[in-house]
Amino acid sequence: MTDTSPSRLPLAQIWPDDMVQRYRAAGYWRGETFTGFVRDNARRFADKTAIVGHTGGVVQRWSYAQLWDKAETIAAGLLALGLQAGDRVVVQLGNIPEFYSVVFGLFRAGLIPVYALPAHRITEIAHFARKAQACAYVAAQHHENFDYRTLARELQHEVPTVQHTIIVGDDAAEFTALHHLQPDPARLPSQDADPQSVAFLQISGGSTGLSKLIPRTHDDYIYSFRASNDICGITPESVYMVALPAAHNFPMSSPGAMGAFYAGATVVLSPAPSPDAAFPLIEQEKVTALGLVPPLALLWAQAAETTPHDLSSLQVLQVGGAKLTPEAARRVIAGLGCTLQQVFGMAEGLVNYTRLNDPLETIIQTQGRPISPADEILVVDDHGHPLESGGTGYLLTRGPYTIRAYHNDPAANARSFTEDGFYRTGDVVTRTADGYLIVQGRATDHINRAGEKISAEEVEDHLLAHPQVFDATVVSIPDEFLGERTCAFIIPHTGTRPRGVELKKWMRERGVAAFKVPDQIVLVDSFDTTAVGKTSRKELRAKLRAQLLAQEQAKPQG
Ligand code: OOB
């Protein structure tokens, strides 16, 4: 018999003792926990508005005291179902207030959220649940015309450790509705979690194959957003808007909703990142700060020129997740008229910001500098030798809020970390003499499609499973709007000619996030590997990309 019971082993994230001592002595790690700071703020800011958002078209306004009450009720309800401290729970919710009551409820119960994006489908959710050995799944009934109850059925069938599904919405079908949980307060733990323990698992962009799980501790994550608050000017008076998906690390913690809650500020949830959805809310709630990916920032700058809405409350617009070119930065500043802050971060840890009072050219030309004086930055050449400032090379980092290992993934850990604990970010950067980073590109084959990270290898695997596909190579193509788009080169099996639309439909039917479906599909007879030798996928990708771009440029305009 196979044992399907989730492991109750504590999740660990190991920094060497001397570093732990150093980070504590410097005051970076203060022994705070998520539960601790929300409980404190429920007292300090009891009646102040913590969250403004919509559930099913109805406006919700929760005070800090209400947020805490809801979190406690959810915690006691989840524990009454039989979940136990340390169990993992996959959370897949859109930008609704319940995202935070559920997450704080999980923290209060000592449970570990695994953050999925609403765009993920069964293939990804089942992978996260297996990797994390999750025993429960929390999802919205619907989001953007997708019924997550169907996904829940498949998930419970495919991953037997997942014993419970909790649905946010009126009709939970055979599952448990969030509002029908039966709280058993006697089960609530009397002590908060160990600040050095793992608080949650975040999802990596995934450069090779499927996404990895990123364990973040209370101490390290809270430090990252407490320090971000100082750099980004977040105070109790701030109104921070979550326009990108709430589960993404950028609107979560840079400084994100978590930074805003920590400060006692107000978080406003935009149900979608479009100007149509967000602009009225900015005017109504007097939003002061928010983060966007570059394509959205450009769209907003354009829409701001003709909008009837008053956006003058906006003080800081952060842009990150993908490269903002200097030209785009100028357009964003001209269109929105507030302070631009570039954010170069990663769910694994390291976050860089341009500072609000930096000279304009620094804000336009660089992706900022690290949060912490304790962030160690190495820029190395092909042989791993550190370069002088001004040199361009691979970015490696370690520090008080950068992970030392992925969860349950020895192969990825061997690839992604050096022996002395530096994380290989996979980014190619130039470091200026004053310590600012300029992102030049990626060393690995992941595609950054408007801030959404796609593993070429993962998409190739799906395409190769198609009966008419003999071979597939997926590459990124520079795109004016998205930054990068995906193109799949396909060699069909002899005698077949699959159509692009069919292959795209096939991808969707395999239950993967829509953003992974290739934007473009090109059929080819062979990959003509003679010129590059048969060894390097990387060279092949570069060659196919160059060929396509040359063809596109040769086409007559118009
Ligand atoms: C953020 O996090 P992830 O984990 O989705 O992606 C990290 C990767 C980085 O390694 C880099 O390749 C790229 O996204 N990236 C940027 C960038 N910000 C992120 N590339 C160029 N310029 C930028 N400004 O994307 C993320 C996490 C926290 C805060 C902000 C972004």
Side-chain angles (χ1 to χ4, degrees):
M1 225 179 85
T2 48
D3 179 13
T4 56
S5 67
S7 107
R8 306 229 183 263
L9 291 175
L11 294 117
Q13 186 56 237
I14 309 298
W15 276 266
D17 279 346
D18 59 323
M19 284 189 163
V20 173
Q21 301 314 329
R22 214 176 342 130
Y23 297 154
R24 284 194 183 139
Y28 305 140
W29 294 358
R30 297 188 183 163
E32 294 169 298
T33 62
F34 281 92
T35 303
F37 87 72
V38 182
R39 187 197 293 111
D40 287 351
N41 282 358
R43 280 192 219 113
R44 280 175 61 204
F45 301 102
D47 297 326
K48 192 159 182 281
T49 305
I51 303 183
V52 182
H54 293 74
T55 320
V58 181
V59 182
Q60 309 249 21
R61 224 170 253 285
W62 296 352
S63 68
Y64 272 88
Q66 284 171 316
L67 173 61
W68 172 248
D69 269 1
K70 287 173 194 287
E72 281 235 300
T73 307
I74 292 171
L78 292 170
L79 294 170
L81 289 178
L83 300 186
Q84 295 187 22
D87 283 348
R88 274 75 70 198
V89 178
V90 177
V91 178
Q92 188 176 28
L93 296 171
N95 290 6
I96 52 174
E98 287 82 356
F99 179 91
Y100 301 105
S101 55
V102 165
V103 164
F104 284 117
L106 291 169
F107 291 142
R108 173 69 183 98
L111 298 162
I112 314 279
V114 182
Y115 294 131
L117 297 171
H120 287 134
R121 294 293 177 261
I122 181 64
T123 305
E124 290 105 355
I125 300 293
H127 168 69
F128 304 151
R130 270 191 214 106
K131 263 277 177 227
Q133 295 175 288
C135 39
Y137 171 58
V138 184
Q141 187 178 319
H142 289 111
H143 178 72
E144 291 180 354
N145 297 324
F146 182 76
D147 188 338
Y148 290 85
R149 295 168 303 184
T150 317
L151 197 160
R153 271 170 216 127
E154 290 175 82
L155 179 65
Q156 290 205 214
H157 178 72
E158 279 188 30
V159 188
T161 57
V162 180
Q163 300 278 337
H164 303 278
T165 290
I166 293 99
I167 294 287
V168 181
D170 295 332
D171 180 3
E174 70 269 39
F175 306 114
T176 310
L178 183 74
H179 60 271
H180 283 155
L181 285 174
Q182 300 292 317
D184 179 1
R187 290 182 190 247
L188 287 170
S190 53
Q191 272 198 334
D192 290 344
D194 173 355
Q196 234 188 290
S197 67
V198 170
F200 62 85
L201 296 167
Q202 184 62 273
I203 306 298
S204 82
S207 42
T208 37
L210 294 167
S211 291
K212 298 168 287 271
L213 299 183
I214 299 171
R216 302 289 304 260
T217 64
H218 295 265
D219 257 340
D220 92 72
Y221 207 63
I222 292 176
Y223 169 48
S224 80
F225 57 75
R226 189 180 64 232
S228 293
N229 278 352
D230 283 344
I231 294 170
C232 307
I234 300 294
T235 67
E237 284 68 49
S238 299
V239 181
Y240 177 83
M241 172 176 268
V242 177
L244 296 171
H248 190 272
N249 199 59
F250 181 13
M252 175 94 72
S253 66
S254 301
M258 289 300 169
F261 291 135
Y262 187 89
T266 297
V267 171
V268 175
L269 290 160
S270 183
S274 62
D276 280 357
F279 284 8
L281 278 168
I282 295 178
E283 176 175 42
Q284 224 170 295
E285 305 299 332
K286 304 209 170 7
V287 170
T288 60
L290 66 104
L292 292 176
V293 291
L296 282 171
L298 287 171
L299 197 72
W300 281 42
Q302 201 180 25
E305 284 171 12
T306 52
T307 185
H309 294 288
D310 177 7
L311 307 178
S312 60
S313 58
L314 211 50
Q315 293 163 7
V316 179
L317 178 72
Q318 304 179 292
V319 182
K323 171 91 178 210
L324 184 70
T325 62
E327 179 47 37
R330 286 185 218 282
R331 269 160 55 195
V332 170
I333 294 170
L336 284 154
C338 57
T339 302
L340 170 69
Q341 179 171 51
Q342 292 217 39
V343 188
F344 164 39
M346 52 207 73
E348 284 82 354
L350 180 71
V351 181
N352 303 276
Y353 295 105
T354 54
R355 301 314 198 248
L356 301 181
N357 58 1
D358 272 341
L360 192 58
E361 279 310 296
T362 306
I363 293 176
I364 287 173
Q365 302 285 349
T366 82
Q367 279 64 59
R369 63 181 163 88
I371 290 179
S372 175
D375 281 320
E376 297 173 67
I377 299 289
L378 285 176
V379 180
V380 305
D381 65 14
D382 282 334
H383 309 288
H385 301 312
L387 298 170
E388 299 284 306
S389 62
T392 297
Y394 307 105
L395 171 65
L396 273 55
T397 185
R398 69 180 182 189
Y401 60 96
T402 296
I403 58 164
R404 311 280 299 195
Y406 289 108
H407 175 65
N408 186 14
D409 214 331
N413 289 337
R415 269 196 317 271
S416 308
F417 297 88
T418 66
E419 261 169 32
D420 46 4
F422 278 86
Y423 167 57
R424 299 181 206 275
T425 66
D427 292 313
V428 175
V429 304
T430 311
R431 184 169 38 165
T432 66
D434 45 0
Y436 283 72
L437 300 177
I438 300 168
V439 181
Q440 306 290 5
R442 289 281 309 170
T444 54
D445 284 323
H446 91 198
I447 297 151
N448 191 334
R449 186 183 188 276
E452 288 184 300
K453 317 302 179 320
I454 303 166
S455 151
E457 203 178 286
E458 184 188 348
V459 178
E460 286 164 3
D461 271 353
H462 285 294
L463 291 168
L464 282 169
H466 188 280
Q468 297 186 347
V469 173
F470 172 71
D471 203 355
T473 297
V474 171
V475 306
S476 67
I477 305 287
D479 183 276
E480 208 183 328
F481 181 65
L482 297 166
E484 290 177 8
R485 64 177 193 273
T486 47
C487 177
F489 292 88
I490 305 281
I491 306 177
H493 274 297
T494 321
T496 66
R497 205 166 169 75
R499 289 168 51 215
V501 280
E502 280 162 17
L503 291 172
K504 290 185 186 185
K505 187 161 162 263
W506 160 265
M507 280 282 297
R508 275 192 291 271
E509 284 170 0
R510 289 186 54 92
V512 298
F515 63 80
K516 294 181 187 169
V517 176
D519 296 296
Q520 198 174 354
I521 290 182
V522 179
L523 297 189
V524 293
D525 295 332
S526 73
F527 289 148
D528 183 20
T529 47
T530 46
V532 288
K534 286 206 176 188
T535 45
S536 165
R537 207 80 191 161
K538 191 178 162 77
E539 284 174 47
L540 175 61
R541 289 198 176 102
K543 187 166 174 257
L544 288 170
R545 183 184 298 120
Q547 276 171 4
L548 184 84
L549 289 173
Q551 273 171 19
E552 284 189 353
Q553 275 170 6
K555 271 190 215 154
Q557 300 290 309

